[in-house]
Amino acid sequence: PAMRPARVTADVNPLRDPRDKRLPRIAGPCSLVLFGVTGDLARKKLMPAIYDLANRGLLPPGFSLVGFARRLMRAANIDVTVIGAENIPAESGAMLAGNHTGYADFILLGTGPYLHGERLVRIVGGYFPNGQAPGTDKFEYKMQWLRGLRDWLEDELTRHPHLVLLGDFNIAPEDRDVHDPVLWAGQIHCTPEEREHFQRLVKLGLHDAFRLFEQPPKSWTWWDYRNLAFRKNQGLRIDHILVSKDIGVSDAFAGGREASQHRPVIADLW
């Protein structure tokens, strides 16, 4: 007899052992972060797999996809090359947004709505430009990007007042976020201009979740890979979670310190 594909739904999967008591679908809310989203592996393998899960109803409502890329790409091409939005049914709730207006280059912002209690929370994941050094073209670009981000967020908050902005900000907001404030004074990540932009984001009505709680000293999230900075614990806090003031935060802390340039910041929301 002719072979036919097995019928797989959100609740029934004949390919699973009936003794397997794990969830029959991806639990929600959840988010998938892809680095190199415009690369061949993502476009040819990972994205089609995501489309397949969405079409079979196996992605939870509020699923979001955050894509980071370094390949130059015009905004008009993001939908075709990366998102393939026509492949994701509307009822899946899956979303992927490109960069904020005017900045469709190597940095993408992914947004997704999550049901938190009885309200929808907008999650915005960002990878901020590094800026290289004060006085360079890349630093000026970072200043322009931060101004554009603030304007974009201000508008976003009018439509989604429950919002979380998180990611690698490449900004150490205060001297206590730097292992040696004197050494780093005026250097990239620690300039007055960058810190002023950070405060402008906070003044939109956001909290720095990490600073809502007492933290151990030297709670860095990033270390330079040079000069044994990781081994010497000479780091900065440049990864952040900013939350709307009406979103409760029960805890926030830096994750495990493994052998990596970055470690995660974790916040429990209620």
Side-chain angles (χ1 to χ4, degrees):
M3 297 183 63
R4 291 180 295 179
R7 178 175 174 78
V8 179
T9 69
D11 301 307
V12 177
N13 186 345
L15 303 179
R16 290 171 59 94
D17 189 309
R19 295 169 296 179
D20 189 344
K21 301 302 180 183
R22 293 174 295 181
L23 292 175
R25 58 183 291 171
I26 298 175
C30 72
S31 180
L32 176 64
V33 180
L34 290 180
F35 292 87
V37 71
T38 55
D40 289 341
L41 177 60
R43 291 187 295 110
K44 295 179 180 179
K45 298 291 185 180
L46 297 178
M47 296 303 295
I50 294 169
Y51 302 150
D52 179 62
L53 290 171
N55 279 300
R56 289 191 287 143
L58 298 179
L59 294 180
F63 170 82
S64 73
L65 174 62
V66 181
F68 296 143
R70 292 188 179 275
R71 178 179 298 176
L72 293 176
M73 179 172 291
R74 295 187 300 110
N77 292 335
I78 291 178
D79 286 348
V80 176
T81 306
V82 179
I83 304 174
E86 73 282 356
N87 295 311
I88 301 181
E91 61 270 20
S92 72
M95 296 181 63
L96 177 66
N99 219 322
H100 58 79
T101 304
Y103 296 88
D105 56 350
F106 68 96
I107 297 173
L108 301 177
L109 290 174
T111 67
Y114 292 90
L115 186 61
H116 184 64
E118 297 182 352
R119 59 190 175 186
L120 284 175
V121 177
R122 177 71 76 190
I123 306 294
V124 181
Y127 176 52
F128 291 33
N130 178 280
Q132 191 179 48
T136 65
D137 291 343
K138 291 183 178 179
F139 185 81
E140 178 55 32
Y141 174 82
K142 184 175 186 177
M143 298 298 100
Q144 295 176 5
W145 193 90
L146 288 167
R147 285 191 288 270
L149 174 64
R150 186 203 173 279
D151 293 343
W152 182 84
L153 274 179
E154 186 174 33
D155 179 68
E156 192 78 359
L157 282 163
T158 63
R159 294 179 291 113
H160 305 285
H162 312 304
L163 183 143
V164 178
L165 172 66
L166 51 82
D168 179 357
F169 283 43
N170 274 314
I171 300 174
E174 305 174 72
D175 281 352
R176 60 177 170 166
D177 298 315
V178 184
H179 75 91
D180 189 337
V182 175
L183 176 66
W184 281 84
Q187 294 195 46
I188 195 64
H189 308 316
C190 304
T191 64
E193 295 90 339
E194 292 168 293
R195 290 178 170 181
E196 174 60 26
H197 277 293
F198 185 91
Q199 292 305 318
R200 289 176 182 175
L201 295 175
V202 170
K203 290 176 182 178
L204 289 174
L206 304 175
H207 280 305
D208 181 350
F210 186 80
R211 288 302 179 198
L212 292 176
F213 304 90
E214 290 291 329
Q215 301 292 345
K218 301 182 180 181
S219 293
W220 322 128
T221 66
W222 173 85
W223 297 262
D224 195 326
Y225 65 89
R226 298 164 294 186
N227 301 320
L228 300 176
F230 180 81
R231 184 176 298 179
K232 298 174 182 177
N233 197 23
Q234 297 174 346
L236 309 178
R237 186 177 74 97
I238 61 173
D239 304 271
H240 308 290
I241 301 175
L242 303 185
V243 301
S244 299
K245 291 184 177 180
D246 57 352
I247 297 178
V249 183
S250 59
D251 196 9
F253 55 94
R257 182 172 175 262
E258 305 297 338
S260 173
Q261 269 197 289
H262 290 263
R263 68 170 170 175
V265 179
I266 301 168
D268 293 328
L269 309 181
W270 56 271

